[in-house]
Amino acid sequence: MPPKSTDPVSTDSVVTRFAPSPTGYLHLGNARTALLNFLAARKAGGRFILRVEDTDEARSNEDFMTALFADLHWLGIDWDEGPDIGGPHAIYRQQQRRAIYEEWLSRLDVAGLTYPCFCTPAELNIQRKRQLASGQPPRYAGTCRNLTQEERADRLVRGLPAALRFRVPHGQVVQFVDLVHGEQRFNSDDIGDFIIRRTDGSTAFFFSNAVDDALMDVTLVLRGDDHMTNTPRQILLLQALGLRIPQYAHVALLLGMDGSPLSKRHGDTSLRELRDRGYLPGALRNHLVRLGHSCVTDGWLDDAALIADFDLTRLGRAAAKFDDAQLRHWQKETVAHLSAEEFADWIRSVLPQGLDAEHEAQFVAAVRGNVELPSDAKVWAKVVFGKLDEFEPAALAAIREAGETFFGEALKLIGHPGAEFKPAVKALGQATGKKGPGLFMPLRAALTGFTHGPELAPMLALLPLAEVQARLEHARRLAV
Ligand code: GLU
């Protein structure tokens, strides 16, 4: 679909990126960010880059990175450039881009815009507390900014660990238009000189992230609004380096239903956990795209419709709450959109091994309306293909209520070869004087162990006659 002329980003060259740090499994917040970036690029016919921000070597690991690729693919996201497929801006792992950062750091150096900082974490902590105590916002006090050449040389000779700070210009207003929050203004005097290279030699996030966006020709940085206050710092760096400044869109962080940031105590928060519980990618996509973005279509969106429906102008500020009930709603919708074959593939692991195609198809048709997760299909597979050894309390009550005679009649009318369910049940009603739930409920309870579930006749068609007889007989004895 061609991009609309009202799109706030020029459309022929949109380049977005997802830039995760592989320090854990992909969580829902990041999955949403990835999805929105992917959709923004696809909608505009642009490019989507995957860049791995693994500068924190202690916490990043290879397994998380492999899992990240798999999780994104599972969600239906692919990328045009990335560590696994290369691309015109290779390299896509920050750990391997050190030489590039050194080169750009030295440009700042040459311009006199950096200085080594010897302050220890303890000293910085004291500064911070002092500022907070006197009601000032905490920022670097500038202790090492004005050291003389001799003082610096002396500290370096003594081998004191040195970080590198960016000299933030005084008295400037940093302005940008955020696609979600509108015009933003920050006073540079509120921003302390910040670290661009840590004492261990690694480049700080502010620097590597901004430099990479510029070098990779990223035109739109769409990320969580926890990064909003980082943006003026990054703009200052890009200005100092003469690099292109992208557009920014900061979307509201994902919250749990109680309004606090989504975390473990809200239950499963990684994509992997939800996938393992049987949620389908279409369900996640449909829920996530509506968090911080409003869709024109209320109904379920397939991959192409999702791209068509996405619009940067509909990113919103409303709190984005991850809602289990919503996820279940989209899961139901997604299940309903599976073909019979897809549905069968999805639940096959809960079916008896070697089940023939005809019975499999019959089972799928019988239960699919009652299946949200494969664990539901497992319950019905046990009812149909296994032995009935458990009854819900309500089912037991319904059996006892119906009484022994009811099941004696049922055995005669339903439990014989060639019995057709509907006429047989009608005859049972006539013979016992029961009707409505009083007729159907005890039968369902006796044959399935439940008082609710898929339509009975198609399930019953899958039960061997001997099993139907055994279950009715068992119910008859229970009802004595
Ligand atoms: N690695 C950063 C994060 O995961 C990237 C932030 C950004 O998108 O700029 O938070």
Side-chain angles (χ1 to χ4, degrees):
M1 171 173 287
K4 291 192 315 202
S5 59
T6 51
D7 280 355
V9 172
S10 93
T11 47
D12 54 352
S13 59
V14 170
V15 181
T16 63
R17 60 20 169 214
F18 176 49
S21 305
T23 55
Y25 289 118
L26 184 63
H27 64 76
L28 291 165
N30 271 347
R32 193 263 315 242
T33 303
L35 180 66
L36 297 181
N37 276 288
F38 164 77
L39 293 173
R42 292 289 172 266
K43 176 67 182 278
R47 296 177 74 71
F48 175 54
I49 300 176
L50 176 63
R51 180 175 75 231
V52 173
E53 304 212 320
D54 52 359
T55 47
D56 185 344
E57 288 188 35
R59 290 174 61 226
S60 301
N61 88 41
E62 214 64 29
D63 291 344
F64 286 140
M65 195 169 81
T66 315
L68 172 78
F69 299 160
D71 289 351
L72 288 171
H73 281 312
W74 178 81
L75 190 60
I77 292 178
D78 56 10
W79 41 97
D80 306 302
E81 303 174 34
D84 53 337
I85 53 171
H89 303 96
I91 306 156
Y92 297 95
R93 287 183 66 175
Q94 289 194 327
Q95 251 181 47
Q96 296 164 2
R97 293 175 63 82
R98 288 246 169 97
I100 300 170
Y101 305 139
E102 283 308 319
E103 187 199 320
W104 288 91
L105 280 171
S106 70
R107 295 195 192 195
L108 285 184
D109 245 349
V110 168
L113 293 174
T114 69
Y115 60 88
C117 171
F118 304 94
C119 296
T120 64
E123 285 164 347
L124 293 173
N125 205 15
I126 294 171
Q127 278 180 20
R128 226 178 79 85
K129 284 194 177 140
R130 235 182 248 146
Q131 286 169 336
L132 285 173
S134 61
Q136 292 169 347
R139 60 169 171 263
Y140 182 60
T143 320
C144 293
R145 188 183 237 254
N146 300 318
L147 293 181
T148 62
Q149 285 300 344
E150 291 71 36
E151 286 168 329
R152 270 189 200 130
D154 169 61
R155 284 163 173 76
L156 288 172
V157 167
R158 277 163 44 214
L160 293 188
L164 196 66
R165 284 190 189 265
F166 175 64
R167 244 176 233 281
V168 173
H170 285 308
Q172 278 193 19
V173 175
V174 186
Q175 250 173 308
F176 63 97
V177 178
D178 185 277
L179 293 188
V180 177
H181 297 270
E183 171 100 20
Q184 302 293 311
R185 288 167 69 90
F186 292 84
N187 193 329
S188 70
D189 292 341
D190 294 335
I191 304 172
D193 295 345
F194 53 89
I195 290 179
I196 49 179
R197 188 173 57 209
R198 303 184 192 95
T199 48
D200 66 4
S202 63
T203 332
F205 163 78
F206 294 130
F207 188 84
S208 45
N209 177 271
V211 165
D212 282 350
D213 284 340
L215 298 183
M216 293 181 179
D217 297 321
V218 169
T219 60
L220 170 65
V221 168
L222 196 171
R223 58 186 177 185
D225 62 11
D226 52 332
H227 285 288
M228 180 66 106
T229 54
N230 297 335
T231 299
R233 292 172 171 79
Q234 296 193 301
I235 289 177
L236 285 170
L237 279 175
L238 292 173
Q239 281 170 341
L241 290 167
L243 288 171
R244 172 175 166 168
I245 297 165
Q247 281 198 288
Y248 293 91
H250 290 95
V251 289
L253 284 190
L254 271 203
L255 307 175
M257 281 312 282
D258 59 358
S260 66
L262 197 65
S263 72
K264 262 282 144 219
R265 67 197 175 77
H266 294 103
D268 293 337
T269 51
S270 77
L271 212 57
R272 219 149 246 255
E273 288 164 319
L274 291 169
R275 185 189 74 182
D276 290 348
R277 273 172 53 203
Y279 282 99
L280 289 162
L284 265 312
R285 283 198 296 271
N286 270 274
H287 188 26
L288 291 175
V289 74
R290 290 174 168 91
L291 297 174
H293 171 264
S294 53
C295 289
V296 182
T297 314
D298 287 335
W300 188 82
L301 297 163
D302 67 15
D303 292 6
L306 207 65
I307 294 170
D309 196 304
F310 182 82
D311 195 325
L312 283 171
T313 61
R314 279 189 268 104
L315 291 173
R317 292 183 215 180
K321 288 187 179 169
F322 192 85
D323 181 352
D324 273 333
Q326 281 295 317
L327 179 63
R328 281 201 305 280
H329 164 76
W330 292 118
Q331 172 77 357
K332 272 191 205 145
E333 290 285 319
T334 309
V335 172
H337 282 85
L338 293 177
S339 69
E341 289 72 33
E342 288 166 336
F343 184 94
D345 285 345
W346 179 53
I347 58 149
R348 188 155 293 123
S349 66
V350 308
L351 297 178
Q353 291 220 328
L355 185 69
D356 62 77
E358 194 189 326
H359 284 100
E360 183 184 277
Q362 258 182 289
F363 177 77
V364 165
V367 305
R368 64 175 294 165
N370 288 70
V371 171
E372 253 179 54
L373 294 170
S375 51
D376 303 323
K378 192 173 178 178
V379 170
W380 303 120
K382 181 164 186 298
V383 165
V384 170
F385 303 113
K387 291 287 164 213
L388 197 60
D389 42 25
E390 270 179 285
F391 292 86
E392 294 185 306
L396 262 186
I399 289 171
R400 296 205 167 113
E401 168 88 28
E404 185 187 0
T405 333
F406 177 88
F407 292 105
E409 289 297 324
L411 261 167
K412 277 192 248 158
L413 293 164
I414 301 172
H416 66 81
E420 273 189 56
F421 188 68
K422 273 200 181 138
V425 173
K426 197 170 170 207
L428 179 62
Q430 281 158 357
T432 59
K434 310 246 183 215
K435 51 184 191 244
L439 175 61
F440 283 96
M441 195 69 90
L443 268 186
R444 174 181 286 286
L447 292 165
T448 70
F450 292 97
T451 52
H452 63 94
E455 205 191 322
L456 203 48
M459 278 214 290
L460 211 59
L462 281 159
L463 276 181
L465 178 62
E467 190 60 30
V468 173
Q469 291 167 335
R471 290 183 189 186
L472 290 172
E473 176 57 32
H474 182 53
R476 194 177 66 81
R477 275 184 275 116
L478 284 175
V480 173

